[in-house]
């Protein structure tokens, strides 16, 4: 990140405002490698060894320093402030690795360091909404399933992901997705109508259908689909057209 001169925040590239990402410290670049990890443990009287209860990961946080390529005035300062001061998690990418996306906002104290003649840089802190960075959203091909078919979905990230699945049902009947790579219980609807379109968000565990006054939770077995790291071989049973949308998750910031 630090070697990148340009970046994109909330859909606006820094070059549009004559802003550069800069490194003003001496020596080598020092960046976040992994999210901060804390061991959760409980100590009880009479036992020297604590009980391990998992690990907590903190959201990524890192400094960003930006310089004004052509100097600044009050209007330029206000324009940059409006761009960077968001009250929601916005995407941030750096030109050195534009496929890696951070979602967050600028927080805590910020400072303007300058030489008194409208030249200088701003120091900011960027806090992500999670311990991870992500790929851009990926859309699979439309898979036309006639009865039953095996397809492959590749998860090139570091962690399991839960995709969004769009399904257009061909013929009234059930629909099942088995992930042979994980041997988990199948993802299954016991009934869908002919030409019905449903969207299943496996991360948020929501199901939407285009049939009015209808929900499909009672027709679903509550086994939301997970795609493990690597190749996922899915066998889909039930004629339909299906598409997957997902983001890879990366541990290294």
């Amino acid at each position: 990140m630090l070697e990148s001169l340009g970046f994109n925040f909330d859909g606006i590239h820094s070059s549009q405002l004559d802003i550069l990402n800069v490194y003003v410290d001496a020596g080598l670049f020092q960046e976040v490698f992994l999210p901060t990890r804390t061991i959760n443990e409980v100590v009880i009287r009479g036992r020297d060894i604590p009980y391990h209860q998992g690990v907590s990961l903190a959201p990524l946080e890192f400094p960003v320093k930006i310089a004004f390529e052509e100097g600044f005035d009050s209007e330029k300062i206000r324009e940059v402030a409006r761009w960077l001061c968001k009250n929601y998690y916005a995407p941030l990418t750096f030109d050195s690795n534009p496929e890696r996306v951070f979602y967050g906002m600028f927080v805590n104290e910020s400072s303007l360091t300058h030489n008194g003649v409208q030249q200088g840089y701003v120091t900011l802190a960027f806090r992500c909404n999670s311990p991870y960075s992500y790929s851009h959203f990926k859309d699979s091909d439309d898979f036309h399933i006639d009865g039953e078919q095996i397809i492959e979905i590749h998860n090139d990230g570091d962690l399991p992901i839960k995709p969004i699945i769009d399904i257009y049902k061909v013929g009234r009947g059930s629909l099942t997705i088995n992930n042979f790579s994980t041997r988990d219980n199948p993802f299954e609807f016991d009934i869908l109508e002919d030409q019905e379109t449903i969207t299943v968000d496996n991360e948020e565990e929501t199901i939407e259908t285009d049939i009015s006054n209808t929900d499909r939770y009672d027709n679903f077995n509550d086994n939301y689909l997970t795609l493990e790291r690597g190749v996922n071989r899915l066998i889909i049973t039930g004629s339909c057209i299906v598409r997957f949308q997902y983001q890879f998750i990366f541990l290294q910031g």
Side-chain angles (χ1 to χ4, degrees), residues 172-243:
R172 187 175 189 269
S174 63
L175 184 134
T176 303
I177 303 177
N178 273 289
N179 190 341
F180 278 2
S181 301
T182 63
R183 300 296 181 181
D184 289 339
N185 291 327
F187 166 107
E188 184 174 12
F189 286 91
D190 61 13
I191 192 70
L192 294 173
E193 298 297 331
D194 181 34
Q195 300 184 20
E196 179 179 358
T197 299
I198 65 169
T199 298
V200 181
D201 187 329
N202 291 276
E203 182 68 40
E204 300 297 331
E205 299 189 353
T206 60
I207 303 170
E208 297 179 359
T209 177
D210 65 346
I211 299 178
S212 60
N213 301 318
T214 301
D215 74 61
R216 286 302 184 191
Y217 292 99
D218 288 340
N219 301 112
F220 184 58
N221 67 350
D222 288 332
N223 290 324
Y224 291 91
L225 185 69
T226 298
L227 302 177
E228 296 293 333
R229 182 176 179 272
V231 178
N232 291 261
R233 299 182 72 244
L234 309 178
I235 181 167
I236 302 177
T237 304
S239 297
C240 65
I241 302 172
V242 61
R243 181 174 63 241

Side-chain angles (χ1 to χ4, degrees), residues 43-112:
V43 178
I44 65 172
R45 186 174 61 184
R47 177 181 167 91
D48 294 331
I49 301 174
Y51 287 100
H52 179 252
Q53 296 189 333
V55 175
S56 297
L57 278 67
L60 288 174
E61 188 168 344
F62 49 85
V64 176
K65 294 182 179 179
I66 60 171
F68 299 89
E69 191 172 13
E70 302 296 334
F72 62 85
D73 56 22
S74 61
E75 284 300 316
K76 173 63 70 173
I77 289 287
R78 292 173 58 195
E79 182 181 19
V80 172
R82 290 193 299 270
W83 171 43
L84 299 179
C85 187
K86 305 298 184 184
N87 294 325
Y88 53 86
Y89 296 117
L92 171 69
T93 61
F94 292 89
D95 290 357
S96 58
N97 190 356
E99 296 305 310
R100 189 68 58 89
V101 185
F102 302 89
Y103 294 95
M105 63 181 79
F106 292 98
V107 297
N108 301 332
E109 294 182 358
S110 60
S111 63
L112 171 63

Side-chain angles (χ1 to χ4, degrees), residues 1 32-38 55-62 89 100-104 126-135 158-159 203 248-253:
M1 295 183 295
V32 174
F33 181 65
L34 288 172
T36 300
R37 293 160 54 89
T38 302
V55 175
S56 297
L57 278 67
L60 288 174
E61 188 168 344
F62 49 85
Y89 296 117
R100 189 68 58 89
V101 185
F102 302 89
Y103 294 95
F126 189 80
R127 186 182 186 274
C128 297
N129 67 340
S130 82
Y132 313 118
S133 57
Y134 300 84
S135 71
D158 299 321
L159 296 172
E203 182 68 40
F248 301 139
I249 303 173
F250 303 113
L251 277 173
Q252 195 269 324

Side-chain angles (χ1 to χ4, degrees), residues 1-9 14-15 18-31 61-69 80 83-84 92-94 106-107 109-114 120-127:
M1 295 183 295
L2 293 177
E3 72 275 18
S4 176
L5 290 176
F7 64 96
N8 191 303
F9 178 66
S14 57
S15 60
D18 297 321
I19 293 293
L20 297 174
N21 179 51
V22 296
Y23 184 75
V24 298
D25 300 323
L28 301 175
F29 297 135
Q30 185 175 358
E31 298 181 353
E61 188 168 344
F62 49 85
V64 176
K65 294 182 179 179
I66 60 171
F68 299 89
E69 191 172 13
V80 172
W83 171 43
L84 299 179
L92 171 69
T93 61
F94 292 89
F106 292 98
V107 297
E109 294 182 358
S110 60
S111 63
L112 171 63
T113 303
H114 60 94
Y121 62 90
V122 176
T123 301
L124 302 153
F126 189 80
R127 186 182 186 274

Side-chain angles (χ1 to χ4, degrees), residues 134-147:
Y134 300 84
S135 71
H136 293 282
F137 275 99
K138 311 286 185 181
D139 283 301
S140 75
D141 295 331
D142 287 346
F143 297 100
H144 294 252
I145 311 300
D146 185 9

